[in-house]
Amino acid sequence: MLVRKTLSFRGVMFIAGHHFWWLAAWMTLMTSLYHFTHWKMLAIPWLPLSVVGTAVAFYVGFKNNQAYGRLWEGRKIWGGIVNSSRMWASMVNGFLGKENKADTEKLVYGYIAWIYTLRSQLLQPTQWEHVSLRHLFGSFSVNRRKNFGVGMYEEEVAAIEMKKYLRGFETGDHFANGATHILHQQTQTLNMLYDQGKLDVFKQLELQRVVNDCFEHQGKLERIKKFPLPRQYGSFSFLFVCIFIFMLPFGIVGEFAKLGDAWIWLAIPFGMVIGWVYVVMELIGDYSENPFEGLPYDIPMLSICRTIEIDLLNMLGETDIPKPVQPKREILM
Amino acid sequence: MLVRKTLSFRGVMFIAGHHFWWLAAWMTLMTSLYHFTHWKMLAIPWLPLSVVGTAVAFYVGFKNNQAYGRLWEGRKIWGGIVNSSRMWASMVNGFLGKENKADTEKLVYGYIAWIYTLRSQLLQPTQWEHVSLRHLFGSFSVNRRKNFGVGMYEEEVAAIEMKKYLRGFETGDHFANGATHILHQQTQTLNMLYDQGKLDVFKQLELQRVVNDCFEHQGKLERIKKFPLPRQYGSFSFLFVCIFIFMLPFGIVGEFAKLGDAWIWLAIPFGMVIGWVYVVMELIGDYSENPFEGLPYDIPMLSICRTIEIDLLNMLGETDIPKPVQPKREILM
Amino acid sequence: MLVRKTLSFRGVMFIAGHHFWWLAAWMTLMTSLYHFTHWKMLAIPWLPLSVVGTAVAFYVGFKNNQAYGRLWEGRKIWGGIVNSSRMWASMVNGFLGKENKADTEKLVYGYIAWIYTLRSQLLQPTQWEHVSLRHLFGSFSVNRRKNFGVGMYEEEVAAIEMKKYLRGFETGDHFANGATHILHQQTQTLNMLYDQGKLDVFKQLELQRVVNDCFEHQGKLERIKKFPLPRQYGSFSFLFVCIFIFMLPFGIVGEFAKLGDAWIWLAIPFGMVIGWVYVVMELIGDYSENPFEGLPYDIPMLSICRTIEIDLLNMLGETDIPKPVQPKREILM
Amino acid sequence: MLVRKTLSFRGVMFIAGHHFWWLAAWMTLMTSLYHFTHWKMLAIPWLPLSVVGTAVAFYVGFKNNQAYGRLWEGRKIWGGIVNSSRMWASMVNGFLGKENKADTEKLVYGYIAWIYTLRSQLLQPTQWEHVSLRHLFGSFSVNRRKNFGVGMYEEEVAAIEMKKYLRGFETGDHFANGATHILHQQTQTLNMLYDQGKLDVFKQLELQRVVNDCFEHQGKLERIKKFPLPRQYGSFSFLFVCIFIFMLPFGIVGEFAKLGDAWIWLAIPFGMVIGWVYVVMELIGDYSENPFEGLPYDIPMLSICRTIEIDLLNMLGETDIPKPVQPKREILM
Amino acid sequence: MLVRKTLSFRGVMFIAGHHFWWLAAWMTLMTSLYHFTHWKMLAIPWLPLSVVGTAVAFYVGFKNNQAYGRLWEGRKIWGGIVNSSRMWASMVNGFLGKENKADTEKLVYGYIAWIYTLRSQLLQPTQWEHVSLRHLFGSFSVNRRKNFGVGMYEEEVAAIEMKKYLRGFETGDHFANGATHILHQQTQTLNMLYDQGKLDVFKQLELQRVVNDCFEHQGKLERIKKFPLPRQYGSFSFLFVCIFIFMLPFGIVGEFAKLGDAWIWLAIPFGMVIGWVYVVMELIGDYSENPFEGLPYDIPMLSICRTIEIDLLNMLGETDIPKPVQPKREILM
């Protein structure tokens, strides 16, 4: 998550600066070609282009909307995890009372273990994320992930006391989904407490409902992670922008040619700017649609997990509390 | 579901390449006609066309939005089935305990049987799906379904051990809806367990609520399957695109004629590209609006079912677990 | 509900063909007038028209969106009724057991009676539906309702065994709302079963919640029926389209006049097509906004009711089951 | 609520006819000025205006969307009140049985008292409603409210038997919010019935949940009433339309001037129509955003309240039932 | 919250007047430059600009929509807090009865303490709010916050009797989140009442559910506060408007140059107005997206809190009730 109100010039360049190069190349190529050949085919009428421009702006806008929806839904679900964590800790504390301190701790620690496990699972790259792209595109993204994404927080992640939180839990690889496994054991602990008479059936079921909510939260996040913005929608948005930019110099050159030959070169900067606006609109959606890539535009999962950890340890009355995660390079993960 | 971030050139051609042919034919026909006859009626003013172009882009955008909504809602409901499956297995396991292993198994196996049955039912073609079209259009889609859709996974589907999962269930054709029948028997099993004193009334009702959620999930999916995007909306979107493309060469030829006779042929490629952008926008919605057709743009039901199966068998402590479904030809079903 | 993927030519004409006549008349009138008089006022500049065209397309798009929302919400609620029906029948069956067969039947039959009663109530025309229009418009719609709408299924409707389903229910006219009355008696039956000790309080309340959901479903459908798309929104959409089409020939004639006098007649077909696109966009929303009019664009309530009936009779173990409703003239009601 | 499908000419004039006058004045002034002075500044190029026109149409469309959302949400909540009323009456009736007739009556009457009280509270004008405007604008709206709004139903309102419905309730002014007070007493009555052993704790809580739903409904309606469409959004929509219409004659005159001097006067009617379309789009949202003003575009609260009253009295088995509210002057309140 | 229907001229200037200055400067600079140099590059064709103008209007519209969504969601949650407060007070009162007056008071007072604490926490500035901007921008906003925002109500805030409301609660800084701490103690109080036999388990859990709802409300508000409108979306909206306004004089001057040299100065006012419309559209979203900044566009939290306080004290039967908060300078906080 970017934490600065308005991106600095450097920030803008960081996100979309490199696209100026190929736009410049393409505009210059076509303008020069026209300048030296005066092929009329390089100066097509602008009007048909304008219809395409509007249609493409619509389509990209639609995609941006959906991408935003995915990001925001992801954040909402993590918000739901925060809320469930507080209900859980508060009720467990209240229902079990001071005489069952160990059980309380086990249930609350289990929650913390679950969120950190879930976070790691969500960061596993899928086939359609930027870091899985081939060639230069992929390695570019891998670098960003390392230097401006999750990579910046390796130290903090290493310091998480998973051992403490998972004490008493069965761990191991024979479960396909580790986070599910933890929740499953929470159910079993609740049942054991019922069998031991520490919880009556009503309170057991009330707590079980929070576990069920956690199953919901987890499943919803996995849905966003495992089901991309349908690629037929996403790919063509990219393609349409390419088509528009491909045709752009033909139209721009035509319009500037009317000013006379000397001014034809103005088509280059103006074409670049118009093309760049379209590229950036496409990019924004493209980087927001998968909110668990480990890149700077992600939902700040680590920071949210830490907030939960602090709150829950507070409720347990512990005093050795970790510090909140701070943004680095104006990026919060 | 397509699993590649950006479609390759071949992928784009696979989806929409064949539309270039008739666009080329139509543009060439009209341009030639103008070239040889110079009928002014072939070169109408562009401006009125541009209003139609904008209005049609709006309308198609609206349809795409709704189609996306249907697809995404379908995925959400399947996500809900995943979540319910985990709650179900976890609670059944916990509530019944190790001493009622057979009952636990029956209830959990029943869930797996239900999802696979539901999947088959959802794949039955309806009257308004692509495979039900007449003539060439239909057989084209039937082929795609076989070679790039559900057809690719026949082996995996055949290997599902329905017999094991349906052990102890009454099967047969006297029920109009097989999936409903399975859920109905889950209710009866829960009731029997209550009668036998293995579940108290509170836990019975808590589990019954999950069965009720399954009735919800199933009904919602059937709603999407059995109620198309209203055909008055869908058909006219198609028709409007046809009308726009019909009028396109009239307008384009007019604009290019201004460049002089030699350049008139440029109207062909430019007209094709503009027309193609509109056709593709229409196509994307058209292929996304029915997400259970068995075609490559479907929700990957088989893969989701398998994930559930793996999770639930894990929770039962079984060791002979099937493998996740892998994409074939960059398509996951 | 139209059940054909893409409307045939006849289908399109059926919906919107008659609008060509007055469009033709208007365009011809104005073009001829210009041809013979050359009044410049008939050839106003196109540009101002184009702003109006865009604004109107926006506005109509907005209305179509809301109309679609009403239709889709209606379908969702009917889907909810399907889901509730299955929960109801399954739980009633399970909770009451085989020893209370008569009670089970009464409760399940009551559900079927309720849906058919609800359907009839929703088909009573309101003041703002097409069949309530005055003069020709109204009688045209009344005919359509008879020949292409609910009228086609009179036989099927007559065959519904309401007497069987309402056995044991108090009927009569002293209740303003018959469907509410049936649900109210369901509550009373549940209470009686509790008093007789056939249901414990927990199961009674669980079933009562389904009755409450039915109150919800019914009330939501009545809301859509009794509260139109606010007429200040709907009427002006129609009026704006009229204004645009009124001004259209002025602008179109002006543009075609530039081609020379011989080609002026081309303004007629082109004007007709552009006008028709706007009329049809307006029509689609207009016919979808009230989904219980008994016209071909309705939600297929009869077919849904029948599906529920079949499912519930199946669950009761009956063997004399009615057949699903089939589309007639490619329309399903 | 307007109850006529398509507004008559008079209806349109009633809503927006008076805006023609100042539009006519402004267009005539500017056209005459140009006619006599030929100042070129009065004939600015149309194109920049068209960008503003599109942007403003967007913005107004956005506002209309939100206004519609407020209106529709309000109607949904009132629909929820209808649904809760039926659940309430049906359950109270069933749970308390015939032997506690007086208690049943008190609880059901209390519901009716609550809705009528809520309705009056919602009709108190806020600072940002039309009737609170200063000068002519305000008195114009006050008149409309009297002659075409809530004022038309004073007789019906006076006839409501509040005394009967509030029998046994504590009334008085020491409560800031009367409707809350009634609900609060419903809670207390339920508690008393529990204390007297007429309701067990499960049924008490089930009924309490309906009271809680009523708190929800009331709070949601108050939110719509007390929080306007944020004025920064609403005011600028109005201002943008003013700016566009201010600039309109400059552009229109320019375009018509091209036709020659004689035709310049055509700018007046065309400018008026274009301006009027924008004004009306703005007006529609403006009058729909506050659905409890007592004006003709309101949610018909009186009619809904009466429907509830009839239903509940029916359920109590009373025979002296009031009649439904009928539209007056094609307006239903 | 602004409470005036239509902003006065002063109100408009207050919000966006200062932007006229730099727009005037920029337009004048470019127009003069053209006037004296007649560089054709200052008079580029308008058409390409118009595509950018449309695309930017789209994008800004999208952002405004999301900003509105955040504001409205915030208001809805505060509305939820109002509703929960009434349920809480009503149920606590009813369930505990008159014999446990002190406990009732503690629980209800705790609610009031919680809302005021939550309000203060939400007003802590984050890094991306206006008051955290650097240089002049920041101090400008700090002043507005003081003179037209929360600063105006310092007296009222100081008068809140937190001591009374927090009597019996543990306070202190060892909790990272004070509001959570209060809710946590509510859970413990409920548990204590259960242990003392003043509440049975069902009523305890029913009240606990309200506490859980409060955890939800709080978490949702914190989500809006702590997660900005993603800065990649927000920043580029600002940047696109800047780009458009940068290019605007080039295009406007070109169009006005066609009228002849004398009229070129008209480009200044018209350019200013068009630019200003875009700036204002951007501003509206910018100021609405963070609804807890303490600025005049905020959700009026103080006023809502006071309403709750009044209602709850009313329910407790207290007579010394504070007065509702009144708007100052037509702004309600």
Side-chain angles (χ1 to χ4, degrees), chain E residues 69-87:
Chain E
R70 286 169 63 89
L71 177 62
W72 188 230
E73 193 194 350
R75 185 58 186 85
K76 272 188 173 166
I77 301 165
W78 270 105
I81 291 177
V82 172
N83 303 345
S84 292
S85 79
R86 292 171 180 171
M87 293 176 208

Side-chain angles (χ1 to χ4, degrees), chain B residues 32-314:
Chain B
S32 315
L33 210 63
Y34 182 82
H35 184 69
F36 295 114
T37 65
H38 278 84
W39 286 349
K40 275 205 180 150
M41 65 160 289
L42 296 172
I44 64 163
W46 175 261
L47 278 174
L49 209 55
S50 126
V51 167
V52 175
T54 304
V56 171
F58 264 35
Y59 192 88
V60 174
F62 160 72
K63 181 182 140 172
N64 277 355
N65 215 347
Q66 305 303 350
Y68 178 87
R70 287 169 62 89
L71 177 63
W72 188 230
E73 194 195 350
R75 184 59 185 83
K76 271 189 173 166
I77 302 165
W78 270 104
I81 291 177
V82 172
N83 303 346
S84 292
S85 79
R86 291 170 181 170
M87 293 176 207
W88 177 255
S90 193
M91 286 201 291
V92 164
N93 241 309
F95 293 171
L96 287 174
K98 282 177 195 154
E99 59 279 18
N100 299 304
K101 184 86 182 154
D103 298 314
T104 306
E105 257 180 14
K106 192 182 169 199
L107 287 169
V108 175
Y109 282 177
Y111 199 97
I112 302 176
W114 172 65
I115 52 172
Y116 281 120
T117 308
L118 184 55
R119 177 186 167 275
S120 324
Q121 289 180 194
L122 290 172
L123 283 173
Q124 301 300 328
T126 61
Q127 207 169 339
W128 50 79
E129 292 185 355
H130 287 91
V131 294
S132 308
L133 283 171
R134 267 176 280 186
H135 314 307
L136 220 70
F137 305 109
S139 60
F140 176 82
S141 296
V142 169
N143 273 336
R144 287 239 157 146
R145 189 176 150 116
K146 202 168 148 199
N147 297 322
F148 297 92
V150 281
M152 293 191 292
Y153 289 92
E154 272 171 11
E155 210 177 314
E156 282 86 344
V157 171
I160 300 167
E161 299 182 79
M162 286 304 277
K163 264 196 198 149
K164 171 176 156 194
Y165 295 136
L166 276 173
R167 197 179 303 143
F169 278 81
E170 180 201 349
T171 51
D173 282 349
H174 58 281
F175 240 71
N177 187 323
T180 306
H181 197 189
I182 293 174
L183 289 180
H184 185 42
Q185 292 182 61
Q186 299 275 49
T187 303
Q188 289 173 325
T189 307
L190 288 179
N191 231 70
M192 195 194 64
L193 291 171
Y194 167 73
D195 287 341
Q196 296 172 348
K198 292 176 181 169
L199 284 175
D200 59 35
V201 67
F202 309 106
K203 288 180 174 163
Q204 180 199 355
L205 290 180
E206 200 70 22
L207 290 172
Q208 183 63 45
R209 272 169 214 140
V210 182
V211 176
N212 288 353
D213 287 347
C214 291
F215 276 124
E216 285 280 353
H217 297 319
Q218 177 181 336
K220 283 177 176 173
L221 291 173
E222 287 173 359
R223 163 168 54 79
I224 294 177
K225 178 75 183 184
K226 298 269 173 74
F227 190 72
L229 194 119
R231 300 323 303 152
Q232 63 267 38
Y233 281 94
S235 289
F236 281 104
S237 165
F238 175 73
L239 187 65
F240 290 165
V241 169
C242 291
I243 288 176
F244 178 69
I245 288 175
F246 171 79
M247 302 203 305
L248 194 59
F250 294 89
I252 290 267
V253 166
E255 290 289 311
F256 279 87
K258 293 179 191 161
L259 300 182
D261 237 36
W263 301 105
I264 194 106
W265 301 109
L266 280 174
I268 298 177
F270 279 97
M272 275 170 67
V273 167
I274 295 174
W276 191 75
V277 166
Y278 272 81
V279 168
V280 170
M281 291 205 299
E282 160 67 21
L283 269 187
I284 290 168
D286 188 48
Y287 275 111
S288 305
E289 76 190 38
N290 296 318
F292 310 120
E293 290 196 302
L295 294 177
Y297 321 99
D298 266 30
I299 289 168
M301 290 195 286
L302 184 62
S303 153
I304 295 172
C305 287
R306 180 59 50 86
T307 307
I308 295 176
E309 190 181 4
I310 294 171
D311 274 13
L312 296 203
L313 294 183
N314 257 330

Side-chain angles (χ1 to χ4, degrees), chain E residues 38-276:
Chain E
H38 278 85
W39 285 350
K40 276 206 180 150
M41 66 160 288
L42 295 172
I44 64 163
W46 175 262
L47 278 173
L49 208 57
S50 125
V51 167
V52 174
T54 305
V56 170
F58 265 34
Y59 192 87
V60 174
F62 160 73
K63 181 182 140 172
N64 277 357
N65 214 348
Q66 306 303 348
Y68 178 87
R70 286 169 63 89
L71 177 62
W72 188 230
E73 193 194 350
R75 185 58 186 85
K76 272 188 173 166
I77 301 165
W78 270 105
I81 291 177
V82 172
N83 303 345
S84 292
S85 79
R86 292 171 180 171
M87 293 176 208
W88 177 255
S90 193
M91 286 200 291
V92 163
N93 242 310
F95 293 171
L96 288 174
K98 284 179 192 151
E99 60 279 18
N100 299 304
K101 183 90 182 151
D103 298 313
T104 306
E105 257 181 14
K106 192 182 170 197
L107 288 170
V108 175
Y109 282 176
Y111 200 97
I112 301 176
W114 172 66
I115 52 170
Y116 281 120
T117 309
L118 184 56
R119 176 186 167 275
S120 325
Q121 289 182 194
L122 290 172
L123 282 174
Q124 301 301 327
T126 61
Q127 208 169 339
W128 51 80
E129 291 184 358
H130 287 90
V131 294
S132 308
L133 282 170
R134 267 177 279 186
H135 314 307
L136 221 70
F137 306 109
S139 60
F140 175 82
S141 296
V142 168
N143 272 335
R144 288 239 155 145
R145 187 177 152 118
K146 204 168 145 199
N147 296 322
F148 298 92
V150 280
M152 292 191 293
Y153 290 91
E154 271 170 13
E155 209 176 314
E156 282 87 343
V157 171
I160 300 167
E161 299 182 80
M162 287 304 279
K163 263 195 198 148
K164 170 177 158 193
Y165 295 136
L166 276 172
R167 197 179 304 143
F169 279 80
E170 181 200 348
T171 51
D173 282 349
H174 58 282
F175 241 70
N177 187 323
T180 306
H181 196 187
I182 293 175
L183 289 180
H184 185 42
Q185 292 181 63
Q186 299 274 48
T187 303
Q188 288 172 327
T189 308
L190 288 181
N191 231 68
M192 195 194 65
L193 292 171
Y194 167 73
D195 287 341
Q196 297 172 347
K198 292 177 182 167
L199 283 176
D200 60 35
V201 68
F202 309 106
K203 287 179 175 162
Q204 180 199 357
L205 290 180
E206 201 68 23
L207 290 173
Q208 183 63 46
R209 272 168 214 141
V210 182
V211 176
N212 288 353
D213 287 347
C214 291
F215 276 126
E216 285 281 354
H217 298 318
Q218 178 182 338
K220 283 177 176 173
L221 292 173
E222 287 173 359
R223 163 168 53 78
I224 293 177
K225 178 75 183 184
K226 299 270 173 72
F227 190 72
L229 194 120
R231 299 324 303 153
Q232 64 267 37
Y233 281 94
S235 291
F236 281 105
S237 164
F238 175 73
L239 187 64
F240 290 166
V241 169
C242 291
I243 288 176
F244 177 69
I245 288 175
F246 171 79
M247 302 203 306
L248 194 59
F250 295 90
I252 290 267
V253 166
E255 291 288 312
F256 279 85
K258 292 179 191 160
L259 300 182
D261 238 34
W263 302 105
I264 193 104
W265 300 108
L266 280 175
I268 297 177
F270 279 97
M272 275 170 66
V273 168
I274 295 175
W276 190 75

Side-chain angles (χ1 to χ4, degrees), chain C residues 151-182:
Chain C
M152 292 191 292
Y153 290 91
E154 273 172 9
E155 209 178 314
E156 282 87 343
V157 171
I160 300 167
E161 300 182 77
M162 287 303 278
K163 262 194 198 153
K164 171 176 156 193
Y165 295 137
L166 276 173
R167 198 180 303 145
F169 278 80
E170 181 201 348
T171 51
D173 281 350
H174 58 281
F175 240 70
N177 187 323
T180 306
H181 196 189
I182 293 175

Side-chain angles (χ1 to χ4, degrees), chain A residues 245-259:
Chain A
I245 288 175
F246 171 79
M247 303 202 306
L248 194 59
F250 294 90
I252 290 268
V253 166
E255 291 288 311
F256 279 86
K258 292 178 191 162
L259 301 181

Side-chain angles (χ1 to χ4, degrees), chain D residues 53-228:
Chain D
T54 304
V56 171
F58 264 35
Y59 192 87
V60 174
F62 159 73
K63 181 183 140 173
N64 277 355
N65 215 348
Q66 306 303 349
Y68 178 87
R70 286 170 63 90
L71 177 63
W72 188 230
E73 194 194 351
R75 184 59 185 83
K76 271 188 173 166
I77 301 165
W78 270 105
I81 290 178
V82 172
N83 303 346
S84 294
S85 79
R86 291 171 181 170
M87 292 176 208
W88 177 254
S90 192
M91 285 201 293
V92 163
N93 241 309
F95 293 172
L96 287 174
K98 284 178 194 151
E99 60 279 18
N100 299 304
K101 183 88 182 151
D103 298 313
T104 306
E105 257 180 13
K106 190 181 172 200
L107 288 169
V108 175
Y109 282 176
Y111 200 97
I112 301 176
W114 173 65
I115 52 171
Y116 280 120
T117 309
L118 184 55
R119 175 184 168 276
S120 325
Q121 290 183 192
L122 290 172
L123 283 174
Q124 302 301 328
T126 62
Q127 206 169 341
W128 49 81
E129 292 185 358
H130 287 90
V131 295
S132 308
L133 282 171
R134 266 176 280 185
H135 314 307
L136 220 70
F137 305 109
S139 60
F140 176 82
S141 297
V142 169
N143 272 335
R144 288 238 155 146
R145 188 176 151 117
K146 203 169 147 199
N147 297 322
F148 298 92
V150 281
M152 291 191 293
Y153 290 91
E154 271 170 11
E155 207 178 316
E156 282 87 343
V157 171
I160 300 168
E161 300 182 77
M162 286 304 277
K163 262 196 199 149
K164 170 176 158 193
Y165 295 137
L166 275 173
R167 197 180 303 144
F169 278 80
E170 181 200 347
T171 52
D173 282 349
H174 59 280
F175 242 70
N177 187 323
T180 306
H181 196 188
I182 293 175
L183 289 180
H184 185 41
Q185 293 182 61
Q186 299 275 48
T187 303
Q188 287 172 327
T189 307
L190 288 180
N191 231 70
M192 194 195 65
L193 292 171
Y194 166 73
D195 286 341
Q196 296 172 347
K198 293 179 180 166
L199 282 176
D200 60 35
V201 68
F202 308 107
K203 288 180 175 163
Q204 180 200 356
L205 290 180
E206 200 70 22
L207 290 172
Q208 183 63 46
R209 272 168 214 140
V210 182
V211 176
N212 289 352
D213 287 347
C214 291
F215 277 125
E216 284 283 350
H217 298 318
Q218 179 182 338
K220 284 177 175 174
L221 292 173
E222 287 173 358
R223 161 167 55 77
I224 293 177
K225 177 74 182 185
K226 299 269 175 73
F227 190 71

